[in-house]
Amino acid sequence: MAGHYGGLQALIRQKAPEMIWTHCLIHRESLASQNMCPSLNTVLQTVIKVVNYIKTRHVKARFFKKICEEMGAEHTPLLFYCNSRWLSKGNVLVRVFELRQELNTYLSEEGNNDFNKFIDIDFVNKLAYLCDIFEKLNILNTSLQGKETHILQLYDKVVAFIKKIDLWQRKLTEENGKTTCFSLLKSFLEDNDLELPMNSLKIISDHLMTLKNHFEKYFPDDIVHYNWIKDPFSEKPLSNFTTTEEEQLIDISSDSSLRTKFSSFSFLGFWNSIKDEYPEISNKALRVLLPFATSYLCETGFSAVAVLKLKYRSRLNIEKEMRVAVTTLLPNFEELLNGKQAHSTAEKPVSHKYDVANGSSTRKALLDISGYSSLMLFQNPKNENEENFVRNEESDEILINCSSSVVVKFNNGLWVYARF
């Protein structure tokens, strides 16, 4: 569908030949983490099946919550699994691991065949490992989110994660099954005075190897071609550079003042600041830094729409609300309020007019004055003489009455004119 030769990319390049196509790094991370061996996948599918068995039935969900409360569990509800949510898998697994005793009790009372799995040592070992590895994947996923990011910055985090996989695999081998890199699995084994079986150790080691291979597949090392952007003072120009671009890169690398400037600016800020002096090489760098590296901003917009546009207001035009929901600008409330007429407490009275609905012959109206109080206006007098005063002794308010209006003076000096 998005093919380079006959798909969307090809169609766009017919109109914009210099178009740059990028694949969301967060989506790539999600794809790389999906593959696992059958034994670990069985544990994951069992967890999802049990969660759906309880969460999709309200009566069962209430009974399970009651059991959790009686057993003193820290959490009572399970979490739904959603494949399209980036952090869902790790959160669901951790919650199930925390409530495994409660799940065993509940499923045994229900007569469910999966109840004994949550007290099976081999099953819980694999579950604990999945909790740990997906927690690490969630940390990586969260670090890839955010605004004002570029591909070089996020690629460094992925490269670091791949190196960590090598570390975890080496530690498992060197320490003869010690799981110091996986906190939940380590604590479970220590609490129950157990050692990790060799078959489980092999499964974990194979999964780490598979995970590394898939990360290297979805994140190839061709990003090293852009190292000159991260360090223009020591990296050599690439073979596809034009003569002008090479000359400008040499000028930049020989300028000591730019070296100082480079250390105080972000990559994007530095290359943007020298685009007038070195336009060719700067534009080449900006073409790499400017494209969106992830779909984070789109996902943020979708979340805002889901909050704003409920089924009760599905036809609402939310263009202005969306601008407020996703903007990074902070409103200057002082300037906004200065442009409005404020309630005054000065000695000189200030009149505020309010149109109110027609009532009965007694003509009552309720005025809400921001910053003051609510006031009930009394009956409409029979003449329009503004000298007709009615004093309320309890609140020390003065009512100036006429046939079609009431003027009220508060103790703080504010005058309110209500027109019927």
Side-chain angles (χ1 to χ4, degrees):
M1 183 176 179
H4 181 79
Y5 298 103
L8 179 61
Q9 295 186 53
L11 294 175
I12 295 177
R13 281 199 171 88
Q14 293 177 4
K15 301 294 183 181
E18 297 184 356
M19 179 269 296
I20 298 176
W21 182 273
T22 59
H23 186 184
C24 171
L25 267 69
I26 300 179
H27 185 223
R28 282 194 259 176
E29 180 269 340
S30 178
L31 292 174
S33 61
Q34 284 183 356
N35 296 86
M36 59 182 67
C37 64
S39 58
L40 292 178
N41 188 60
T42 301
V43 174
L44 176 62
Q45 296 304 319
T46 300
V47 168
I48 295 173
K49 182 178 70 173
V50 169
V51 169
N52 291 338
Y53 173 75
I54 296 175
K55 292 288 289 183
T56 56
R57 298 166 175 83
H58 297 297
V59 175
K60 296 184 184 300
R62 288 197 295 270
F63 284 159
F64 179 72
K65 179 180 179 180
K66 187 67 175 177
I67 288 178
C68 292
E69 292 174 350
E70 292 176 352
M71 297 180 67
E74 182 179 357
H75 306 287
T76 55
L78 294 170
L79 301 177
F80 260 128
Y81 169 68
C82 179
N83 191 37
S84 62
R85 293 186 179 273
W86 293 331
L87 310 179
S88 175
K89 193 177 295 182
N91 295 335
V92 170
L93 289 167
V94 171
R95 182 60 58 87
V96 169
F97 181 81
E98 293 174 349
L99 298 176
R100 62 188 184 279
Q101 297 294 341
E102 290 78 6
L103 282 168
N104 170 254
T105 302
Y106 175 76
L107 294 176
S108 62
E109 293 181 359
E110 286 280 316
N112 191 293
N113 295 329
D114 293 323
F115 78 95
N116 58 348
K117 293 183 178 179
F118 292 95
I119 56 174
D120 180 72
I121 299 300
D122 184 59
F123 182 90
V124 178
N125 282 340
K126 297 172 183 176
L127 176 61
Y129 165 72
L130 288 177
C131 292
D132 285 323
I133 195 63
F134 279 105
E135 181 185 4
K136 297 178 186 297
L137 288 166
N138 283 355
I139 293 173
L140 172 63
N141 190 299
T142 305
S143 68
L144 297 178
Q145 301 177 29
K147 303 175 182 178
E148 299 181 3
T149 58
H150 53 79
I151 191 169
L152 301 183
Q153 171 191 357
L154 301 186
Y155 234 89
D156 289 343
K157 297 179 180 180
V158 176
V159 171
F161 185 80
I162 295 175
K163 292 180 179 179
K164 289 178 183 177
I165 296 177
D166 282 332
L167 170 66
W168 302 330
Q169 195 171 16
R170 190 178 74 250
K171 287 290 184 180
L172 280 176
T173 305
E174 292 177 353
E175 297 178 357
N176 297 322
K178 298 295 183 182
T179 56
T180 54
C181 300
F182 305 106
S183 57
L184 275 181
L185 179 58
K186 178 176 179 292
S187 62
F188 173 75
L189 294 174
E190 290 179 350
D191 293 343
N192 294 275
D193 195 19
L194 298 171
E195 292 186 0
L196 188 66
M198 290 304 297
N199 62 334
S200 297
L201 177 61
K202 186 177 185 308
I203 289 173
I204 293 174
S205 180
D206 290 344
H207 178 253
L208 290 174
M209 178 61 70
T210 303
L211 188 64
K212 178 188 174 183
N213 292 337
H214 280 87
F215 263 88
E216 291 176 344
K217 172 187 174 182
Y218 284 99
F219 297 94
D221 59 358
D222 56 0
I223 200 72
V224 297
H225 298 317
Y226 302 126
N227 284 343
W228 62 271
I229 300 176
K230 297 189 288 185
D231 187 8
F233 303 98
S234 58
E235 291 292 330
K236 295 182 180 180
L238 301 179
S239 58
N240 62 348
F241 274 30
T242 64
T243 303
T244 304
E245 291 170 348
E246 286 194 40
E247 290 175 351
Q248 292 184 2
L249 187 61
I250 292 173
D251 290 338
I252 293 172
S253 62
S254 304
D255 193 333
S256 58
S257 62
L258 288 180
R259 187 184 296 272
T260 304
K261 187 177 182 180
F262 184 78
S263 61
S264 59
F265 276 75
S266 64
F267 293 156
L268 189 59
F270 172 77
W271 288 106
N272 188 52
S273 66
I274 63 173
K275 65 180 180 180
D276 294 332
E277 188 175 359
Y278 306 104
E280 283 79 8
I281 192 66
S282 176
N283 288 334
K284 193 176 186 67
L286 291 175
R287 280 175 57 83
V288 177
L289 296 174
L290 283 179
F292 296 107
T294 69
S295 60
Y296 173 80
L297 294 178
C298 294
E299 300 293 341
T300 303
F302 294 151
S303 299
V305 171
V307 172
L308 293 172
K309 210 151 190 176
L310 306 176
K311 65 177 182 179
Y312 299 109
R313 48 185 181 183
S314 59
R315 300 182 65 182
L316 179 69
N317 184 0
I318 60 172
E319 178 181 354
K320 295 180 179 179
E321 288 79 1
M322 276 289 293
R323 288 177 179 269
V324 176
V326 301
T327 184
T328 57
L329 300 177
L330 295 177
N332 189 337
F333 289 106
E334 291 187 4
E335 185 176 348
L336 293 173
L337 292 175
N338 288 336
K340 304 294 182 181
Q341 185 176 11
H343 298 297
S344 175
T345 57
E347 294 182 0
K348 184 177 180 180
V350 180
S351 297
H352 297 264
K353 293 185 178 181
Y354 295 85
D355 291 328
V356 295
N358 290 327
S360 60
S361 59
T362 57
R363 294 235 178 143
K364 295 183 179 180
L366 180 64
L367 299 181
D368 291 326
I369 310 300
S370 177
Y372 298 96
S373 59
S374 297
L375 171 69
M376 179 67 74
L377 302 183
F378 301 101
Q379 68 179 21
N380 180 29
K382 297 180 180 180
N383 58 68
E384 298 184 2
N385 184 5
E386 292 189 358
E387 298 296 325
N388 181 12
F389 293 96
V390 179
R391 178 179 294 276
N392 186 335
E393 298 294 343
E394 295 181 358
S395 61
D396 197 25
E397 297 168 352
I398 299 177
L399 307 182
I400 305 177
N401 301 287
C402 60
S403 60
S404 61
S405 62
V406 178
V407 180
V408 183
K409 180 183 179 183
F410 290 89
N411 294 333
N412 55 20
L414 173 68
W415 288 73
V416 177
Y417 171 76
R419 176 165 53 85
F420 295 103

